[in-house]
Amino acid sequence: MSLRLALVAALSTVNAWRLAPGVPGATARERVRVAALGAGGLVVLGALVGAGSGPVLGAASLTGPTARIAAGVAVTVVAVRDLLSRPPSPEPALAGDAAAVVPVLFPHLATPGLVLLMVSVGHDRGVAVVAGLAVAAGASLVVVAALPAGWVSTRWWRAVGSLVSASAVLAGVGVTVSGVLDI
Amino acid sequence: MVAGVAVGTAVHPERCPRVDRAAIDDAARAAVSWFAANTADDGEVLYSWDRGTDRSPGGRNVVRHAGVVMALHQAVGAGIPGARAVADRSLRWALERLVETPVGPALALGDPAPTGATALLVAALVIRGRVGGDVDGELLRALGSTLVATVGDDGSVAADVSVVDGPVRRRTSPFFPGEVAWALALLDGVLPGEAYGEAADRVLAWIVTARDEVEGPWPPVSDHWAAYARAERVRSGVALPAGVTTDALTRWRERQLGLFGLQVRYESQRRGGWTRVTRGRQAPASGLGTLGEGLGRWLAVDAVSGELAGRRPVVVERLACVTGLLVERQVDERAAASEPDPARVAGAWFRDGVTRLDDQQHALSALLVAAEVFADPLPVGEGGRP
C-alpha cells in the first residue's frame, strides 16, 4: 500500500466532513477543544496500535498483506455504512472534556476501519507513519470543528460528506486489492 | 458487527507448520519411496490411488509421466537413495513411447503428441546428464528440433504435434509454453550455439509480454515452469530476453510473485471446519507443490541477479510455508501402516482420499528446492504464520 493510498484511506475513513455535526460543544471554541483532545487520543491510540501491530498480527497468525485485506474490507464496510446512515449526533456524550473520549474518539474516530488500517500500516511502514496518519486525520476534524454549527448541518455540507464516504469505499477497495496482489 | 463478520469472512488465521531440514529431507525420501513402490517393472508409474476403495481409479497422462521422470532425476541430483533406479525405469517407459512426427520425435500415447510431454522429457534428459546419467546426444538434439518447431515467430507454442501434420495450434495450454521455454533453456546449456537459447528467449518474451493479453487466462496463471525457464536463462547469463523491457519484466515478475504469494496465503488459511465453507477444500499437493517450485526458482533467479532485493525474505517465508504444509500433509509410514495396501499410501499426498502421480511429482520438486534454500538445519516457518 502506497503512502498516498494510506493517507487517502485514513482521511476518508475518518471523514471529518461527516463527523463535524457530531462534535459536542455549545461554541466553536468548545468544539475545537473537544475535537483536539479527541485527535490527541487518536494519535496516542495510533502510536499504541502501530507499535503493537507486529505482535498483534503474530498472535492472530496474519501476514502483512492479509492484514491489509482485512483493513480494506473494514474500511469499505464502515464507509458503506456511513453512506447509508445519517451523520452522527453529538449526543449522547460524556460531560465536559470527557466528550473527547465519548463520542469523539469512540465511536466517531476509532472505527473498526481506521483501527485495522492503523494496524496494517503499522506493520508495513512503522509506528511513525501511523502516528502521522493519526495526526492528519485528527487535524482534519479539528479544522471542521472550528466552523460554525450552521454550516456543517447544511445539505451541501452533507453532500460533500457523502462524496468523502464514497471515496472511502474506493480507498477501502484499493487497500484490499493491494493486499490481494502482494506476495 | 457487520465489519467484524465481513473481516472474519475475508481473512482467516494463516497457519504454516514449522519444519526443519531433516523433516524436509525425510519427506522427499518418502516421496521417492512412493515412486519406487508404485512404478511397475516396465516403468509405468501408478497414475492414481483411492484410499477409500483401495483401488486405482485408473488414468494415464504422458505429460504427467514425463514430469515424474524429471522430478525423479532432480531427486537423483539431490542424492536421494533409490531415486536413480526408479528414474531409469520411468525414463525407459517414456523413451519407448516416442513417436516420429514431421518435425522430429515426440513423446505421445497417441496422436497428437502434447508438446509439454516432450518438453519435460527433454528437461529430464538434460538433468540426467547433469547428475551423471547416460544421455543420447543425438536424441536430445532431435527432441530439441521438435520443440523448436512448436515455437512460432511470435514466441507462442503449439500445444500439440500431430504425427501427420506436425505442430498443431488448435488449443492452448497454460503450462506448455513455460515447459518448452525451460527445456530449450536447458538444451542451450548442453548444446550451446544451436539456437535453443534464442528460441527459449522468444517463448519467454511471449509469456512475459503477450500471453496474458492473447489468451487471457482466468484465473491468472502462476507459471512455475516459466520461473524454471527464467532461472535457467539467468544462470546462463541472459538476464533479459530479447524484446523484453526491464519495465515489462518487472511488471510480470511482480504479478507472478503476487499470484504465488496470494495462493500460499490462501492455502494456509484452509484448516477445515468453517474455512471449508469460506475457502473451499485444500488444494491438491500438485497445486501446492507448484507454488513451492515457482517460489524456489524465483529465489534461484534472485541468487544470480539480485532482482528481488528487499522482497527476498517474503518469498523465502512463503516457500517455508509451502514446505511446512507439504510436510504436514504427507502420509507417513506409521499412518499408512493401517491401510490395506500401505505401499500405495506411504509418502503420498491425498485430497479427499485420492492421490495422483503429479501430487508426488510437484511436492517432491518443491521439497527438493526447499532443501536447497533451507540448507541450515534450523527450523523454518514461524509456527503460525507464513
Side-chain angles (χ1 to χ4, degrees), chain B residues 56-131:
Chain B
S56 171
R60 241 182 185 184
N61 184 300
V62 73
V63 183
R64 295 190 179 118
H65 182 94
V68 167
V69 179
M70 183 280 297
L72 286 170
H73 282 91
Q74 288 177 325
V76 174
I80 295 184
R84 191 178 291 276
V86 67
D88 287 349
R89 238 164 47 228
S90 61
L91 174 63
R92 195 170 61 238
W93 187 91
L95 293 178
E96 287 169 358
R97 277 151 188 84
L98 289 178
V99 296
E100 275 306 317
T101 79
V103 292
L107 177 55
L109 285 175
D111 188 15
T115 308
T118 305
L120 290 177
L121 176 61
V122 166
L125 288 170
V126 173
I127 294 169
R128 180 181 178 82
R130 283 183 181 172
V131 298

Side-chain angles (χ1 to χ4, degrees), chain B residues 279-358:
Chain B
R279 293 289 178 273
R281 57 186 184 155
Q282 288 180 346
S286 54
L288 184 56
T290 63
L291 304 181
E293 290 176 272
L295 292 165
R297 292 305 145 186
W298 275 110
L299 289 171
V301 170
D302 181 63
V304 178
S305 68
E307 63 191 59
L308 296 185
R311 313 276 268 168
R312 185 178 176 88
V314 180
V315 177
V316 170
E317 273 189 28
R318 300 295 176 264
L319 177 60
C321 188
V322 170
T323 308
L325 291 171
L326 283 174
V327 170
E328 181 187 68
R329 293 179 185 180
Q330 186 182 37
V331 181
D332 61 23
E333 278 188 19
R334 196 164 19 160
S338 60
E339 303 270 340
D341 198 345
R344 303 287 192 223
V345 177
W349 285 264
F350 287 82
R351 182 171 77 154
D352 295 339
V354 177
T355 189
R356 205 170 62 183
L357 77 174
D358 56 330

Side-chain angles (χ1 to χ4, degrees), chain A residues 54 57-67 69-71 73-74 77-78 112 116 123 179-183, chain B residues 2-3 6-7 10-15 254 257-259 261-262 265 269 295 311 314-315 317-318 384-386:
Chain A
L57 292 188
S61 292
L62 293 178
T63 53
T66 301
I69 293 172
V73 169
V77 170
V78 169
L116 284 176
H123 178 268
V180 168
L181 296 182
D182 205 345
I183 301 173
Chain B
V2 174
V7 170
V11 301
H12 298 302
E14 298 159 305
R15 203 180 57 79
E254 290 303 305
L257 289 173
L259 288 169
L262 173 65
R265 288 186 277 124
Q269 296 176 31
L295 292 165
R311 313 276 268 168
V314 180
V315 177
E317 273 189 28
R318 300 295 176 264
R385 294 172 51 207

Side-chain angles (χ1 to χ4, degrees), chain A residues 2-93:
Chain A
S2 69
L3 200 54
R4 184 184 302 174
L5 177 58
L7 183 61
V8 169
L11 289 175
S12 60
T13 299
V14 165
N15 195 350
W17 281 262
R18 184 177 178 279
L19 287 187
V23 178
T27 65
R29 190 184 177 90
E30 284 179 20
R31 287 196 299 276
V32 167
R33 179 179 173 79
V34 168
L37 289 171
L42 183 66
V43 174
V44 172
L45 179 67
L48 290 172
V49 165
S53 58
V56 165
L57 292 188
S61 292
L62 293 178
T63 53
T66 301
R68 216 176 305 148
I69 293 172
V73 169
V75 165
T76 305
V77 170
V78 169
V80 168
R81 181 208 63 183
D82 289 351
L83 264 176
L84 300 176
S85 60
R86 296 173 62 82
S89 161
E91 300 293 338

